[in-house]
Amino acid sequence: MTTTELTEQIHFKKSFLCIGLDVDLTKIPQHLLQLEDPIFEFNKAIIDATHDLAVAYKPNTAFYEAYGIKGWQSLQKTINYINEKYPEIFTIADAKRGDIGNTSSMYAKAFLEDLNFDSITVAPYMGKDSVEPFLAFENKHTILLALTSNEGAFDFQTLNVDGKELYKQVLETSKTWKNAQNLMYVVGATKAEYFAEIRKIVPDNFLLVPGVGAQGGSLSEVCKYGINAVIGLLINSSRAIIYASNGGNFAPKAREEALKIQSEMQEILNRK
Amino acid sequence: MTTTELTEQIHFKKSFLCIGLDVDLTKIPQHLLQLEDPIFEFNKAIIDATHDLAVAYKPNTAFYEAYGIKGWQSLQKTINYINEKYPEIFTIADAKRGDIGNTSSMYAKAFLEDLNFDSITVAPYMGKDSVEPFLAFENKHTILLALTSNEGAFDFQTLNVDGKELYKQVLETSKTWKNAQNLMYVVGATKAEYFAEIRKIVPDNFLLVPGVGAQGGSLSEVCKYGINAVIGLLINSSRAIIYASNGGNFAPKAREEALKIQSEMQEILNRK
């Protein structure tokens, strides 16, 4: 999917919501556990109930790997289901991969080609040759970790490197890499003022934003500083939506929560 | 496995060789492709031919994920085979994972508990709460990326942060984390002099060292600066050993290459 198509979807749905499919068998409605593939059945119900309110879904691979081969089957069925039934949806493999060049190529092939995700999150620590193999895929997107939303973000990402924070150096350096037009960035919502600084460095790229809501970030503040001409934001929400209820009504309850966020987004888009 | 047991194995085998099981179906002997699980059959033959010369095996997960569910089955069979037949071997999941706390816990469970690896490689960019869930497992080891052996290592890892390189800051900060005694570090062999500096910061920890041989690092130079009282080094070799031949004699040829390195290690250990 191109970013132009993504922006079109955002305007069509009046939403830049991404729903994180971080499925934990201990948290989903227990009646699903008797089905053959509870994780896929859960995802399917959540996706069917929310697909018109969200432009993106983001399974975090850890939650699937935790269930071994069965988990990988659930991941494969989930991405296939989205790609077949809702091809207008932007899909993100939240995998945070990154390795030396020939090894990153294997990850890129696995997620962008075989599983056919539109994008994958990638860690920057190993530098250029660990990221460029992901960037080589046309109309696919590499979402580089810049400033994450967790406490540990302040251990290294905000350290001062030659007069600027490391995450800013990551943003700047990454712009020089081959096929940099395929880059998006992970930027946590924890401090909205950071978005003003970040937009000076990457005015045009999409930002994937975790940490709104549960982790304390404000949607309107993030949008104030972060929205650009192509909107350029994907706001992720996982637990607040998918675990809104663990009863038989979990899917309509998830829709209710998604609708609250989408309504707020619609207002923001209308004001622009 | 404890580090004391690992050091005992090193002295017993006169080797601190780690063999990287980075299996690419286009590079293995083509007669294996007609078998049901060529990757596992390849690994099994390599392991059987070299287990007395190596103290560790390190499958890189990218090479297994690239083959989807079949790849995960091969990975599972490989680690089970090692754990059952050669329980004295130290096993490393070269996965380079790292995510926010609750998500890292899922990865840690998947690799250290379910697959039952002795250790896993982890990326430091997301900081303390992304690494501590791995450190929580007793007698398991978290091998943190410090200074990698690829070109991109010089993009961020060697940047100057408050008067010292970022990788040194990673080493120092990680020492303050909970269960830091379970840390090992990835340090590339590309510049042996770095090991002197690194040993000032982490005198006691094991270092996993890629980049000897193929990537240009010298074994004797690395040992000169890197060996400590418990030896404290695992030198990785992948392609030079496992792809020594792609004919019917690939396993004995792999043994020959492993033996060359082990002999050099034996001399180094004898001189100490």
Side-chain angles (χ1 to χ4, degrees), chain B residues 241-259:
Chain B
I241 293 176
I242 69 173
Y243 299 135
S245 158
N246 68 354
N249 62 346
F250 72 100
K253 284 287 176 190
R255 181 176 175 82
E256 270 177 39
E257 289 304 312
L259 189 59

Side-chain angles (χ1 to χ4, degrees), chain B residues 48-109:
Chain B
D48 286 340
T50 58
H51 69 94
D52 57 323
L53 303 173
V55 291
Y57 288 95
K58 177 178 77 63
N60 186 308
T61 52
F63 289 80
Y64 299 83
E65 288 183 17
Y67 300 109
I69 287 158
K70 275 186 82 76
W72 269 84
Q73 281 169 334
S74 305
L75 179 64
Q76 199 162 64
K77 281 159 78 178
T78 301
I79 179 69
N80 289 348
Y81 184 74
I82 299 173
N83 282 340
E84 279 161 29
K85 191 151 178 204
Y86 307 110
E88 74 283 5
I89 290 282
F90 185 75
T91 53
I92 303 169
D94 194 0
K96 301 188 175 68
R97 298 297 195 265
D99 208 306
I100 61 171
N102 71 323
T103 308
S104 272
S105 296
M106 303 296 273
Y107 281 129
K109 184 184 166 294

Side-chain angles (χ1 to χ4, degrees), chain A residues 90-211:
Chain A
F90 185 76
T91 52
I92 303 168
D94 195 0
K96 299 186 177 70
R97 299 297 196 262
D99 208 307
I100 61 171
N102 71 323
T103 308
S104 272
S105 296
M106 303 296 272
Y107 280 130
K109 184 183 165 294
F111 287 103
L112 300 179
E113 201 173 280
D114 298 344
L115 288 172
N116 201 14
F117 277 93
D118 290 308
S119 65
I120 178 171
T121 58
V122 171
Y125 192 71
M126 294 181 69
K128 174 173 163 164
D129 61 284
S130 72
V131 182
E132 284 188 342
F134 295 98
L135 292 171
F137 287 74
E138 210 180 341
N139 293 332
K140 300 281 182 173
H141 308 271
T142 303
I143 312 180
L144 196 65
L145 302 185
L147 182 62
T148 57
S149 61
N150 62 323
E151 244 188 271
F154 302 98
D155 283 332
F156 307 117
Q157 297 166 25
T158 54
L159 289 182
N160 197 300
V161 177
D162 300 328
K164 68 170 83 75
E165 292 98 326
L166 176 61
Y167 76 90
K168 290 185 186 169
Q169 189 65 56
V170 167
L171 293 173
E172 284 189 0
T173 301
S174 68
K175 288 169 69 176
T176 67
W177 294 340
K178 195 173 174 188
N179 296 310
Q181 75 280 4
N182 294 333
L183 278 168
M184 300 181 173
Y185 299 95
V186 172
V187 179
T190 27
K191 288 201 177 178
E193 316 89 75
Y194 286 161
F195 282 77
E197 296 289 307
I198 287 165
R199 276 300 180 210
K200 286 182 196 159
I201 309 172
V202 287
D204 302 325
N205 301 69
F206 264 84
L207 308 178
L208 171 63
V209 185

